[in-house]
Coordinates of all heavy atoms in Angstrom, one line a residue:
Y194 N 41.7 -9.8 49.6 CA 41.0 -9.2 50.8 C 41.8 -8.0 51.2 O 43.0 -8.2 51.9 CB 40.9 -10.2 51.8 CG 39.8 -11.1 51.6 CD1 40.0 -12.2 50.8 CD2 38.6 -11.0 52.2 CE1 39.0 -13.3 50.5 CE2 37.5 -11.8 51.8 CZ 37.8 -13.1 51.1 OH 36.8 -13.9 50.6
L195 N 41.5 -6.9 50.8 CA 42.1 -5.6 51.2 C 43.6 -5.6 50.7 O 44.3 -5.2 51.5 CB 41.8 -5.2 52.6 CG 40.4 -5.3 53.2 CD1 40.5 -5.2 54.7 CD2 39.7 -4.1 52.5
D196 N 43.8 -6.0 49.5 CA 45.1 -6.1 49.0 C 45.4 -5.5 47.7 O 46.4 -5.9 47.1 CB 45.4 -7.8 48.8 CG 44.7 -8.4 47.7 OD1 43.6 -7.9 47.3 OD2 45.2 -9.4 47.1
S197 N 44.6 -4.5 47.3 CA 44.7 -4.0 46.0 C 45.7 -2.7 46.1 O 45.4 -1.8 47.0 CB 43.4 -3.4 45.5 OG 42.5 -4.5 45.2
N198 N 46.7 -2.6 45.2 CA 47.5 -1.5 45.2 C 47.0 -0.4 44.4 O 45.9 -0.5 43.9 CB 49.0 -1.9 44.8 CG 48.9 -2.4 43.4 OD1 48.1 -2.2 42.6 ND2 50.1 -3.0 43.0
S199 N 47.9 0.7 44.1 CA 47.3 1.8 43.3 C 47.0 1.5 41.8 O 46.4 2.2 41.2 CB 48.4 3.0 43.5 OG 49.5 2.6 43.0
E200 N 47.5 0.4 41.5 CA 47.4 0.0 40.1 C 46.2 -1.0 39.9 O 45.8 -1.4 39.0 CB 48.6 -0.7 39.5 CG 49.7 0.2 39.5 CD 49.7 1.4 38.8 OE1 49.1 1.4 37.6 OE2 50.2 2.5 39.1
G201 N 45.6 -1.3 41.1 CA 44.3 -2.2 41.1 C 44.8 -3.6 41.1 O 43.9 -4.6 41.0
E202 N 46.1 -3.9 41.3 CA 46.6 -5.3 41.4 C 46.4 -6.0 42.8 O 46.5 -5.2 43.7 CB 48.0 -5.3 41.0 CG 48.3 -4.7 39.7 CD 49.9 -4.6 39.6 OE1 50.5 -4.1 40.4 OE2 50.4 -4.7 38.3
H203 N 46.0 -7.0 42.8 CA 45.8 -7.9 43.9 C 47.2 -8.5 44.5 O 47.7 -9.2 43.7 CB 44.8 -8.8 43.9 CG 43.4 -8.5 43.8 ND1 42.7 -7.9 44.7 CD2 42.6 -8.3 42.6 CE1 41.6 -7.4 44.3 NE2 41.5 -7.7 43.1
C204 N 47.6 -8.1 45.6 CA 49.0 -8.3 46.0 C 49.1 -9.3 47.2 O 50.1 -9.6 47.7 CB 49.8 -7.2 46.4 SG 49.7 -5.8 45.2
G205 N 48.0 -9.9 47.6 CA 47.8 -10.8 48.7 C 48.4 -12.2 48.5 O 48.7 -12.6 47.3
S206 N 48.5 -13.0 49.5 CA 49.0 -14.3 49.3 C 47.9 -15.4 49.3 O 47.0 -15.4 49.9 CB 49.7 -14.6 50.8 OG 50.1 -16.0 50.8
L207 N 48.1 -16.1 48.2 CA 47.2 -17.2 48.0 C 47.2 -18.2 48.9 O 46.2 -18.9 49.4 CB 47.3 -17.8 46.5 CG 46.6 -19.0 46.2 CD1 45.0 -18.7 46.1 CD2 46.9 -19.6 44.8
S208 N 48.4 -18.6 49.3 CA 48.7 -19.6 50.4 C 48.1 -19.2 51.7 O 47.6 -20.0 52.4 CB 50.1 -19.9 50.5 OG 50.7 -20.2 49.3
Q209 N 48.2 -18.1 52.1 CA 47.7 -17.5 53.3 C 46.2 -17.7 53.3 O 45.5 -18.0 54.3 CB 48.1 -16.0 53.5 CG 47.6 -15.4 54.8 CD 48.1 -14.0 55.0 OE1 49.3 -13.7 54.7 NE2 47.4 -13.0 55.5
Y210 N 45.5 -17.1 52.1 CA 44.0 -17.3 52.1 C 43.7 -18.8 52.2 O 42.7 -19.1 52.8 CB 43.6 -16.7 50.8 CG 42.0 -17.0 50.7 CD1 41.1 -16.2 51.4 CD2 41.5 -18.1 49.9 CE1 39.8 -16.5 51.4 CE2 40.2 -18.3 49.9 CZ 39.3 -17.5 50.6 OH 37.9 -17.7 50.6
A211 N 44.3 -19.7 51.6 CA 43.9 -21.2 51.7 C 44.1 -21.6 53.1 O 43.2 -22.4 53.5 CB 44.9 -22.1 50.7
Y212 N 45.0 -21.2 53.8 CA 45.2 -21.5 55.3 C 44.0 -20.9 56.0 O 43.3 -21.6 56.9 CB 46.4 -20.8 55.9 CG 46.4 -21.0 57.4 CD1 46.7 -22.1 58.1 CD2 46.1 -19.8 58.1 CE1 46.8 -22.2 59.5 CE2 46.1 -19.9 59.6 CZ 46.5 -21.0 60.3 OH 46.5 -21.0 61.5
I213 N 43.5 -19.6 55.8 CA 42.4 -19.1 56.4 C 41.1 -19.7 56.2 O 40.3 -20.0 57.0 CB 42.3 -17.5 56.0 CG1 43.6 -16.7 56.6 CG2 41.0 -16.8 56.5 CD1 43.7 -15.4 56.2
E214 N 40.9 -20.1 54.8 CA 39.7 -20.8 54.4 C 39.6 -22.2 55.2 O 38.6 -22.5 55.6 CB 39.8 -21.2 52.9 CG 38.6 -21.7 52.4 CD 38.6 -21.9 50.9 OE1 39.7 -22.1 50.3 OE2 37.6 -21.6 50.2
K215 N 40.7 -22.9 55.4 CA 40.7 -24.2 56.1 C 40.4 -23.9 57.7 O 39.7 -24.6 58.3 CB 42.1 -24.8 55.9 CG 42.2 -26.1 56.7 CD 43.6 -26.7 56.4 CE 44.7 -25.9 57.2 NZ 46.0 -26.7 57.3
V216 N 41.3 -22.9 58.3 CA 41.1 -22.8 59.7 C 40.0 -21.8 60.1 O 39.5 -22.1 61.3 CB 42.6 -22.3 60.2 CG1 42.4 -21.9 61.6 CG2 43.6 -23.2 59.8
R217 N 39.5 -20.9 59.4 CA 38.6 -19.9 59.7 C 38.8 -19.2 61.0 O 38.0 -19.4 62.0 CB 37.2 -20.6 59.6 CG 36.8 -21.2 58.3 CD 35.6 -22.1 58.3 NE 35.3 -22.8 57.1 CZ 34.4 -23.6 56.8 NH1 33.6 -24.0 57.9 NH2 34.2 -24.2 55.8
P218 N 39.9 -18.6 61.1 CA 40.1 -17.7 62.4 C 39.0 -16.7 62.4 O 38.4 -16.2 61.5 CB 41.5 -17.3 62.1 CG 41.6 -17.0 60.6 CD 40.9 -18.3 60.1
K219 N 38.9 -16.2 63.7 CA 37.9 -15.2 63.9 C 38.4 -13.7 63.2 O 37.6 -13.0 62.8 CB 37.7 -14.9 65.4 CG 37.1 -16.0 66.2 CD 37.0 -15.7 67.6 CE 36.4 -17.0 68.4 NZ 36.3 -16.7 69.9
V220 N 39.7 -13.5 63.2 CA 40.2 -12.3 62.6 C 41.5 -12.5 61.9 O 42.4 -13.4 62.5 CB 40.4 -11.4 64.0 CG1 41.1 -10.1 63.3 CG2 39.1 -10.9 64.6
N221 N 41.9 -11.8 61.0 CA 43.1 -11.6 60.4 C 43.5 -10.2 60.3 O 42.7 -9.5 59.7 CB 43.2 -12.3 58.9 CG 44.6 -12.2 58.3 OD1 44.7 -12.4 56.9 ND2 45.5 -12.0 59.0
V222 N 44.5 -9.8 61.1 CA 45.0 -8.4 61.1 C 46.3 -8.3 60.3 O 47.1 -9.1 60.5 CB 45.4 -8.0 62.6 CG1 45.8 -6.6 62.6 CG2 44.1 -8.1 63.5
F223 N 46.4 -7.3 59.4 CA 47.6 -7.2 58.5 C 47.7 -5.7 58.2 O 46.8 -4.9 58.4 CB 47.4 -8.1 57.4 CG 46.0 -8.0 56.6 CD1 46.0 -7.0 55.6 CD2 45.1 -8.8 56.8 CE1 44.8 -6.9 54.9 CE2 43.8 -8.7 56.1 CZ 43.6 -7.7 55.3
G224 N 48.7 -5.5 57.3 CA 48.9 -4.2 56.7 C 49.5 -4.3 55.4 O 48.9 -5.1 54.4
H225 N 50.8 -3.8 55.2 CA 51.5 -3.8 53.9 C 51.0 -3.2 52.7 O 51.8 -2.5 52.1 CB 51.6 -5.4 53.6 CG 52.6 -5.8 52.6 ND1 54.1 -5.2 52.5 CD2 52.7 -6.6 51.5 CE1 54.6 -5.6 51.5 NE2 53.9 -6.5 50.9
I226 N 49.7 -3.2 52.3 CA 49.2 -2.7 51.2 C 48.6 -1.3 51.7 O 47.4 -1.3 52.2 CB 48.2 -3.5 50.6 CG1 48.9 -4.9 50.1 CG2 47.7 -2.8 49.3 CD1 50.2 -4.9 49.3
H227 N 49.2 -0.2 51.5 CA 48.9 1.0 52.2 C 47.6 1.5 51.6 O 46.9 2.3 52.1 CB 50.0 2.1 51.9 CG 51.2 1.8 52.7 ND1 51.8 2.9 53.5 CD2 52.0 0.7 52.8 CE1 52.9 2.3 54.1 NE2 53.0 1.0 53.6
E228 N 47.3 1.1 50.3 CA 46.1 1.8 49.6 C 44.8 1.1 50.1 O 43.8 1.6 49.6 CB 46.3 1.6 48.1 CG 47.5 2.2 47.5 CD 48.8 1.3 47.5 OE1 48.9 0.4 48.3 OE2 49.5 1.6 46.6
D229 N 44.7 0.0 50.7 CA 43.6 -0.6 51.0 C 43.2 -0.9 52.5 O 42.6 -1.9 53.0 CB 43.5 -2.1 50.3 CG 42.3 -2.5 49.7 OD1 41.3 -1.6 49.8 OD2 42.3 -3.4 48.9
Y230 N 43.4 0.3 53.2 CA 43.0 0.2 54.6 C 41.4 0.0 54.9 O 40.7 0.5 54.0 CB 43.3 1.7 55.2 CG 42.8 2.0 56.5 CD1 43.5 1.7 57.7 CD2 41.6 2.7 56.6 CE1 43.1 2.0 59.0 CE2 41.2 3.1 58.0 CZ 41.9 2.9 59.0 OH 41.4 3.0 60.4
G231 N 41.1 -0.7 55.9 CA 39.7 -0.9 56.1 C 39.5 -2.3 56.6 O 40.4 -3.0 57.1
H232 N 38.1 -2.7 56.5 CA 37.8 -4.1 57.0 C 36.7 -4.7 56.3 O 35.9 -4.1 55.6 CB 37.4 -4.1 58.6 CG 36.1 -3.5 58.9 ND1 35.8 -2.2 59.0 CD2 34.9 -4.3 59.1 CE1 34.6 -2.0 59.3 NE2 34.1 -3.2 59.4
I233 N 36.7 -6.0 56.2 CA 35.8 -6.8 55.5 C 35.5 -8.0 56.4 O 36.2 -8.5 57.0 CB 36.3 -7.3 54.2 CG1 36.6 -6.1 53.1 CG2 35.3 -8.2 53.5 CD1 37.2 -6.6 51.9
I234 N 34.2 -8.4 56.3 CA 33.8 -9.6 57.0 C 33.4 -10.8 56.0 O 32.5 -10.5 55.1 CB 32.6 -9.4 58.0 CG1 33.1 -8.5 59.1 CG2 32.1 -10.7 58.6 CD1 32.1 -8.0 60.2
K235 N 34.1 -11.9 56.2 CA 33.7 -13.0 55.3 C 32.9 -14.0 56.0 O 33.3 -14.6 56.9 CB 35.0 -13.7 54.8 CG 34.9 -15.0 54.1 CD 34.4 -15.1 52.8 CE 34.4 -16.4 52.1 NZ 33.9 -16.2 50.7
Q236 N 31.7 -14.4 55.5 CA 30.7 -15.3 56.1 C 31.1 -16.6 55.4 O 30.9 -16.7 54.1 CB 29.4 -14.9 56.0 CG 28.4 -15.9 56.6 CD 28.4 -15.9 58.0 OE1 28.4 -14.8 58.7 NE2 28.5 -17.1 58.7
W237 N 31.5 -17.6 56.1 CA 31.8 -18.9 55.5 C 30.4 -19.7 55.1 O 29.7 -19.7 56.0 CB 32.7 -19.7 56.3 CG 34.1 -18.9 56.6 CD1 34.4 -18.4 57.8 CD2 35.1 -18.9 55.7 NE1 35.6 -17.8 57.5 CE2 36.1 -18.1 56.3 CE3 35.3 -19.3 54.3 CZ2 37.2 -17.8 55.7 CZ3 36.5 -18.9 53.7 CH2 37.5 -18.1 54.4
K238 N 30.4 -20.2 53.9 CA 29.2 -20.9 53.4 C 28.9 -22.1 54.3 O 29.8 -22.8 54.8 CB 29.4 -21.3 51.9 CG 29.5 -20.2 51.0 CD 29.7 -20.8 49.6 CE 29.8 -19.7 48.5 NZ 29.9 -20.2 47.1
N239 N 27.6 -22.2 54.5 CA 26.9 -23.4 55.2 C 27.4 -23.5 56.6 O 27.5 -24.6 57.3 CB 27.3 -24.6 54.4 CG 26.8 -24.6 53.0 OD1 25.6 -24.0 52.9 ND2 27.5 -25.0 52.1
T240 N 27.9 -22.4 57.2 CA 28.4 -22.5 58.5 C 27.8 -21.1 59.3 O 27.3 -20.3 58.7 CB 29.9 -22.5 58.7 OG1 30.5 -21.2 58.5 CG2 30.5 -23.5 57.8

């Protein structure tokens, strides 16, 4: 999720995603990966 560097590599945290998938917060705000500024909305299945 907005974690791609200039080489196209995904640099995000799998553990953090597992937490988000479980808790489903309204928002996750972050930075760190300068190349992938922007926003995405994830609709959780069957909810």
Side-chain angles (χ1 to χ4, degrees):
Y194 287 82
L195 303 171
D196 69 333
S197 296
N198 65 15
S199 58
E200 303 298 322
E202 300 168 324
H203 290 284
C204 305
S206 167
L207 176 61
S208 307
Q209 183 177 320
Y210 177 76
Y212 168 81
I213 292 169
E214 186 177 38
K215 178 183 71 172
V216 175
R217 298 172 184 172
K219 295 177 181 178
V220 173
N221 182 197
V222 179
F223 52 85
H225 190 46
I226 306 302
H227 293 231
E228 299 91 334
D229 224 351
Y230 170 86
H232 75 278
I233 295 174
I234 296 177
K235 166 74 174 182
Q236 182 70 46
W237 299 106
K238 289 183 179 180
N239 303 317
T240 75

